Amino acid sequence: MLPSDCTRATLVGRLLLDEGPTPVLIRNGKVEDVSRQAPTVSDLLERDIASIQGEHLFDLDTLFSLEWKRFLSPFDLQVIKAAGVTFAISAIERVIEERARGDYREAATIREKVEAAIGGAIRSLVPGSEAADRLKATLIENGLWSQYLEVAIGPDAEIFTKTAPLASVGWGAEIGVRSDSSWNNPEPEVVLAVSSHGNIRGATLGNDVNLRDFEGRSALLLSKAKDNNASCAIGPFIRLFDEHFTIEDVRTAVIDLAIEGDDGFTLEGRSLMSEISRPPEELVRQAMSEHHYPDGFALFLGTLFAPTDDRDEPGRGFTHKIGDVVRISTPTIGALVNRVTTSKDAPPWEFGMRDLMRNLASRGLLESEVQ
């Protein structure tokens, strides 16, 4: 669950204690309740962590023994944003979905044609560069241009809202795929924690569940493809930047994915952050745009992983089945583990902003913050 060097890492997260959702700090191998000084993780990420004095809860052995329902997504008031098509291979797969109109049966044939036409050229391009403009002109001339290539190699990144504040699920929770989707996959990603002023405070892991059939039929279905009940998993904890963990560790991170199905199917994949097309800081800048997020935001950075292995009949490729266990991990951050169900059958999202404010007020935490 935790980083390989967890005893020197500073981690931020949320646990569901008996009194309610509680921000915690993990440092020096101890778990601290910091709710009296920072009632929300949003508050905590605006503060100098060294100045925060928490109340000791328990040691790591006790943390590991908690049932999964105690682990909440490490974000609360922050909106959950995502950057799409940030790797060359993901751009190619989005073009395939578009040309297949979301029909998995057409994917294999189209993949071969698209890869031959743009695969080699797109991998070495810097988005928005003169070389990218020349490739764009050539592709338009040959009738191969796509809206996905526009955000892959053009000056503007694709930034969208993955889900609402408090809607993401944490480590161990069931993760939802729409019950009417027949072509979908996990997306293992690094997720940045960004303050209200655009400062990157740390990083965690996320699963940006993707419905290839929905988005493939029309990019205007992106919201329906991405924002569903329990369709966003984040965690287990945010590792804060310090002398032991920096943005350079994010740039060089290797994100491993392992899927184990109840049918005996297994799949392993890997996403190399070193192959991302745009620097993380640039994606944060574009996410901020001309706006200001007073509660900060989380930002999924995209993935290199694009599963094409056949799970059932030849040519169908990969799609989830109920009961799949998805494990996303990297040594410097830890591991995020979730089991797949449908968004219809996953526990409904019911604890919203009003519930959180009422809970914090009943505990006297809002009053202490005002004082």
Side-chain angles (χ1 to χ4, degrees):
M1 178 189 294
L2 300 185
S4 57
D5 59 341
C6 62
T7 56
R8 69 176 188 177
T10 303
L11 306 171
V12 167
R14 295 167 65 234
L15 294 177
L16 182 57
L17 303 183
D18 292 342
E19 56 269 34
T22 302
V24 298
L25 264 180
I26 302 176
R27 51 188 172 184
N28 302 317
K30 309 292 184 182
V31 182
E32 304 173 23
D33 174 354
V34 294
S35 60
R36 289 291 165 187
Q37 295 194 31
T40 66
V41 170
S42 175
D43 290 314
L44 186 58
L45 295 180
E46 298 293 319
R47 303 278 299 275
D48 174 13
I49 298 300
S51 69
I52 299 290
Q53 298 297 317
E55 299 176 12
H56 177 72
L57 283 174
F58 37 69
D59 296 334
L60 295 183
D61 287 343
T62 301
L63 177 75
F64 298 147
S65 70
L66 297 178
E67 61 178 334
W68 67 265
K69 293 180 180 179
R70 296 288 187 177
F71 295 91
L72 303 176
S73 167
F75 294 97
D76 41 41
L77 302 185
Q78 301 94 329
V79 66
I80 311 299
K81 307 292 287 188
V85 201
T86 54
F87 291 80
I89 289 180
S90 63
I92 293 171
E93 288 300 314
R94 297 296 86 79
V95 173
I96 291 166
E97 291 165 12
E98 180 183 43
R99 292 182 175 267
R101 297 290 188 265
D103 186 348
Y104 65 82
R105 292 166 294 192
E106 302 293 329
T109 300
I110 295 172
R111 181 174 292 105
E112 184 177 348
K113 294 179 180 178
V114 171
E115 182 71 39
I118 66 175
I122 197 174
R123 283 181 169 82
S124 60
L125 284 181
V126 175
S129 65
E130 291 184 5
D133 289 339
R134 290 194 296 271
L135 176 61
K136 176 178 179 177
T138 299
L139 293 174
I140 291 175
E141 184 178 341
N142 289 279
L144 292 173
W145 189 243
S146 162
Q147 57 199 332
Y148 293 106
L149 293 175
E150 176 64 46
V151 295
I153 68 174
D156 297 308
E158 178 190 22
I159 305 290
F160 60 92
T161 298
K162 169 63 180 180
T163 197
L166 295 176
S168 54
V169 300
W171 179 92
E174 289 186 311
I175 190 164
V177 174
R178 280 186 64 106
S179 59
D180 51 356
S181 172
S182 60
W183 191 20
N184 47 70
N185 62 265
E187 292 194 339
E189 304 187 24
V190 172
V191 183
L192 297 181
V194 187
S195 75
S196 62
H197 299 291
N199 299 317
I200 307 173
R201 297 301 310 275
T204 185
L205 297 171
N207 187 347
D208 178 19
V209 177
N210 182 43
L211 307 185
R212 304 189 71 180
D213 43 6
F214 276 74
E215 189 177 350
R217 282 192 283 124
S218 170
L220 297 181
L221 293 174
L222 176 66
S223 181
K224 184 169 283 190
K226 289 292 188 181
D227 189 4
N228 298 291
N229 181 46
S231 66
C232 177
I234 305 177
F237 298 97
I238 301 165
R239 182 167 186 177
L240 299 183
F241 289 153
D242 55 22
E243 67 270 27
H244 305 298
F245 181 68
T246 70
I247 192 66
E248 292 304 319
D249 292 292
V250 171
R251 294 188 219 278
T252 59
V254 176
I255 312 301
D256 287 309
L257 173 78
I259 302 173
E260 295 184 4
D262 287 343
D263 57 355
F265 175 85
T266 61
L267 176 67
E268 294 184 353
R270 177 166 283 186
S271 185
L272 307 177
M273 288 300 296
S274 60
E275 295 190 25
I276 197 168
S277 300
R278 304 176 197 265
E281 298 95 330
E282 171 61 14
L283 293 172
V284 169
R285 186 192 69 78
Q286 292 208 29
M288 285 289 287
S289 186
E290 296 179 348
H291 301 286
H292 176 68
Y293 296 97
D295 299 307
F297 62 95
L299 181 63
F300 279 76
L301 293 180
T303 184
L304 178 69
F305 175 71
T308 59
D309 302 47
D310 292 330
R311 182 167 196 173
D312 292 312
E313 69 260 30
R316 178 166 184 172
F318 172 83
T319 196
H320 269 309
K321 291 186 178 182
I322 305 304
D324 284 352
V325 174
V326 181
R327 185 179 193 273
I328 298 168
S329 63
T330 191
T332 56
I333 299 176
L336 173 65
V337 183
N338 302 94
R339 184 180 294 273
V340 173
T341 186
T342 65
S343 292
K344 181 184 294 185
D345 292 333
W349 172 39
E350 296 179 327
F351 191 90
M353 205 73 72
R354 288 179 300 169
D355 299 287
L356 178 61
M357 293 301 107
R358 288 172 182 145
N359 176 267
L360 296 179
S362 70
R363 296 158 64 182
L365 297 178
L366 297 185
E367 296 176 5
S368 63
E369 178 71 0
V370 171
Q371 293 172 0

